[in-house]
Structures are given as C-alpha cells and as structure tokens.
C-alpha cells in the first residue's frame, strides 16, 4: 500500500535522535518536532535541546498557538513523541480535525492506575493495585491485600524510572520518597502505583494504529517479544515470537481489546503483559508512544513477523 506523503507533528520527543524522523521518512513524510517551552516540561527535560533529525520545530506554549503554527505548516498527522506528549497530542489533533484519540481520556493511554481501573470495568485482567500520592494509603491497601510481594512504580508509564520490588510495609515506606522524587522529575506527576508483583514471564507487544476505511481504528501488531526478567526493571534478554505460537495468537487478540478500551486511535503503542500460573495474560501497562527497549533495538536489526488479528489489517 502506498501512503501519501505529508507532514507529521511529533509532540514532546525527548529521546534525542528518536525513531520518528526515520520511520516517517521511509514513507516519504517529513516531521516537525513540537517541543514544549521550559515551564511546561518535566524537570528532567527543561534543558533538553531540540531533537535532531526533524525538518523543523515549533515551541509549544499553548494549544491555540501551536495549532495555528502547525496548520500553517500543512501538518496532516499528529503523534506523541513521549508519554509526556500524549495529552498535548490528543488536544492538538482534536483542534486540527485530524485522526486522534479523545482528549478527555488521555490518561488511559499512559497512566498505569487509570488503565487498570478502566480495564477492570471492561472485564480485562490488569495488575491489582492502588494509584495514590499517599504512602499511608498504599500501605493500607497492601494490608488489605496480603501478597508475597509488591511492585512500586510511577503512575506514568514509559519514563526512565525503574519499578522497585517491595516485600512489606517497611520497604514500601522506605522506597516511596525516592520513587516519588524520580516520578516528579521525569513526568511532573507525584502519583505512584503499588501493584501486585507481576510474573517474570512477560511479553511486549508493539503495534501501530491508524483509522480504517470505516473510520474505526485498525491496530496492526508489528511484533510480539518474549522478555526474560530476573528483576522488576528492563528485560535481561528478548526474542521475537513465531506468529503461530499460542502466546502470540492470544496476545495479538488481547492487545486489540486493550487498545480499543484505552481509546488508542492512531500511532504506535507498546503494551506489556505478564502470565501467572494460569494461561490468562494480565496487563502490566500500555503506552501510546514509542518506547526504546532492547526489543526495539533488536527490531531495527531484524525483520519482525507481522502478526495480524482478525480485526486488524496489515500495512
């Protein structure tokens, strides 16, 4: 399929020379970086330079000004370049009349706690836990839900802050101040999530979503990766799954349901699941923005198998 060329705006691309300029250039598109002004950035990124590889840049001071600038540049697609760019990308796309998600539901596409609550209401398993700014509330929840271990993480997924395992209330309280400081530094939010400890058997599903002919989102699964983890942080090693393996088929279908419930309407997403003792995948988190992981690096060096669910169509 030939994709018409155009100009895409990438909102808050804080990863330097990220994947977007190259990915869009392969399809004949140019990219414009929309960089929030200093006061709108999380503290860790307030001195970050304009990322390389973009055809131009726009300083984001407010939605109205940014929409006006992007309209003048002929922008025909808007995507988030980081977790911090998701809400702004949703609002800007909405104002431009371009394909995008409902701005009212933006937290569903990056906030672990919001995702778990919404998926639970939809009957889709996610990690049990609590989203709060209060360590006392987190400890109280842990006491009402006694488990062999817990995972403490920023509510905002996709930021460079590793979750930590906690065995009891003492460790939750001792880990809280450092985790809160890191969460604020990289996301601007003091909300943390305390969840049950996920199984080490985890999988990462990478997707791209676009509007279909009927206007409904089409989710294309571009890779399913098995992650071997010895701890709560990044995987020790990863590998692509065969498209005919049972986990790949199950995860492909489950990812489509998750993305629909979370309102992902366009652009890339990275979704992580864990398997416990049973055969039911449990959502760890989903992020509607690119995430650089060892799996992403491997994807650039190899040809990934495209796994397409019945409701999904290949590119």
């Amino acid at each position: 399929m030939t994709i018409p060329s155009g100009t895409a705006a990438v909102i808050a691309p804080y990863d330097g020379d990220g994947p977007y300029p190259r990915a869009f250039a392969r399809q004949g598109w140019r990219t414009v970086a929309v960089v929030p002004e200093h006061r709108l950035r999380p503290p860790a990124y307030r001195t970050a330079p304009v990322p390389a590889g973009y055809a131009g840049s726009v300083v984001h001071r407010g939605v109205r000004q940014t929409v006006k600038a992007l309209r003048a540049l002929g922008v025909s697609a808007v995507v988030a370049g980081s977790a911090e760019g998701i809400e702004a990308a949703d609002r800007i796309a909405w104002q431009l009349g371009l394909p995008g998600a409902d701005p009212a539901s933006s937290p569903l596409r990056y906030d672990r706690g919001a995702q778990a609550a919404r998926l639970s209401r939809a009957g889709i398993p996610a990690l049990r836990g609590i989203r709060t700014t209060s360590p006392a509330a987190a400890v109280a929840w842990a006491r009402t839900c006694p488990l062999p271990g817990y995972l403490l993480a920023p509510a905002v997924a996709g930021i460079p802050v590793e979750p930590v395992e906690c065995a009891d209330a003492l460790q939750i309280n001792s880990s809280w101040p450092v985790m809160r400081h890191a969460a604020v530094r990289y996301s601007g939010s003091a909300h943390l999530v305390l969840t049950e400890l996920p199984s080490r058997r985890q999988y990462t599903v990478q997707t791209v979503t676009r509007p279909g002919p009927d206007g409904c989102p089409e989710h294309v699964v571009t890779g399913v990766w098995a992650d071997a983890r010895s701890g709560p942080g990044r995987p020790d090693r990863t590998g692509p799954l065969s498209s005919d393996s049972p986990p790949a088929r199950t995860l492909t279908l489950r990812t489509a349901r998750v993305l629909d419930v979370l309102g992902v309407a366009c652009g890339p997403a990275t979704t992580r699941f864990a398997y416990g003792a049973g055969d039911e995948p449990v959502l760890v988190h989903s992020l509607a923005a690119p995430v650089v992981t060892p799996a992403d690096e491997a994807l650039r060096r190899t040809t990934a198998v495209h796994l397409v669910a019945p409701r999904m169509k290949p590119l």
Side-chain angles (χ1 to χ4, degrees):
M1 174 181 177
T2 301
I3 301 177
S5 61
T7 300
V10 183
I11 315 300
Y14 292 136
D15 59 348
D17 183 18
Y20 270 131
R22 293 187 300 274
F24 274 103
R26 286 194 293 268
Q27 302 295 338
W29 284 60
R30 66 194 292 268
T31 48
V32 174
V34 177
V35 183
E37 66 174 343
H38 296 317
R39 68 181 179 85
L40 298 178
R41 302 185 194 183
Y45 301 114
R46 283 182 184 154
T47 59
V50 175
Y54 291 85
S57 64
V58 170
V59 177
H60 174 61
R61 297 183 175 89
V63 172
R64 181 178 298 180
Q65 291 173 289
T66 299
V67 166
K68 182 178 179 180
L70 296 181
R71 187 174 283 125
L73 291 171
V75 164
S76 50
V78 177
V79 292
S82 63
E84 296 73 44
I86 290 174
E87 292 203 32
D90 288 345
R91 293 196 302 269
I92 290 167
W94 187 273
Q95 291 293 326
L96 285 170
L98 297 175
D102 181 358
S105 62
S106 293
L108 292 177
R109 291 174 285 284
Y110 67 84
D111 188 298
R112 304 171 199 255
Q115 290 177 356
R118 180 66 184 87
L119 292 172
S120 176
R121 291 196 296 271
I124 300 175
L127 294 178
R128 293 172 293 168
I130 182 173
R131 176 187 187 273
T132 181
T133 58
S134 166
V139 168
W141 174 82
R143 286 175 175 154
T144 64
C145 189
L147 296 167
Y150 304 90
L151 194 68
L152 183 65
V156 175
I159 62 175
V161 179
E162 301 293 357
V164 295
E165 293 184 11
C166 300
D168 51 31
L170 180 63
Q171 290 188 352
I172 294 169
N173 278 316
S174 63
S175 300
W176 195 276
V178 175
M179 181 63 69
R180 179 187 181 279
H181 176 79
V184 170
R185 175 169 170 75
Y186 285 97
S187 72
S189 171
H191 280 88
L192 305 184
V193 290
L194 183 72
T195 67
E196 63 182 302
L197 194 64
S199 165
R200 303 284 193 228
R201 182 187 171 199
Q202 296 185 24
Y203 297 89
T204 297
V205 183
Q206 295 169 315
T207 57
V208 176
T209 299
R210 66 183 183 193
D214 58 357
C216 295
E218 293 180 346
H219 310 300
V220 181
V221 177
T222 57
V224 179
W225 302 82
D227 301 337
R229 295 170 181 271
S230 58
R234 297 185 182 278
D236 299 317
R237 63 182 184 277
T238 68
L241 294 187
S242 168
S243 60
D244 59 0
S245 67
R249 293 195 299 268
T250 299
L251 291 168
T252 296
L253 294 170
R254 178 56 56 83
T255 299
R257 288 192 64 202
V258 167
L259 297 182
D260 281 343
V261 170
L262 299 182
V264 175
C266 105
T270 301
T271 305
R272 182 162 294 146
F273 295 93
Y275 274 83
D279 295 325
E280 183 81 354
V282 176
L283 181 80
V284 176
H285 69 256
S286 185
L287 180 66
V291 177
V292 178
T293 67
D296 298 317
E297 293 300 325
L299 183 61
R300 293 171 187 165
R301 296 192 298 268
T302 63
T303 301
V305 177
H306 287 259
L307 308 170
V308 184
R311 289 188 61 251
M312 304 178 184
K313 298 181 179 179
L315 290 171

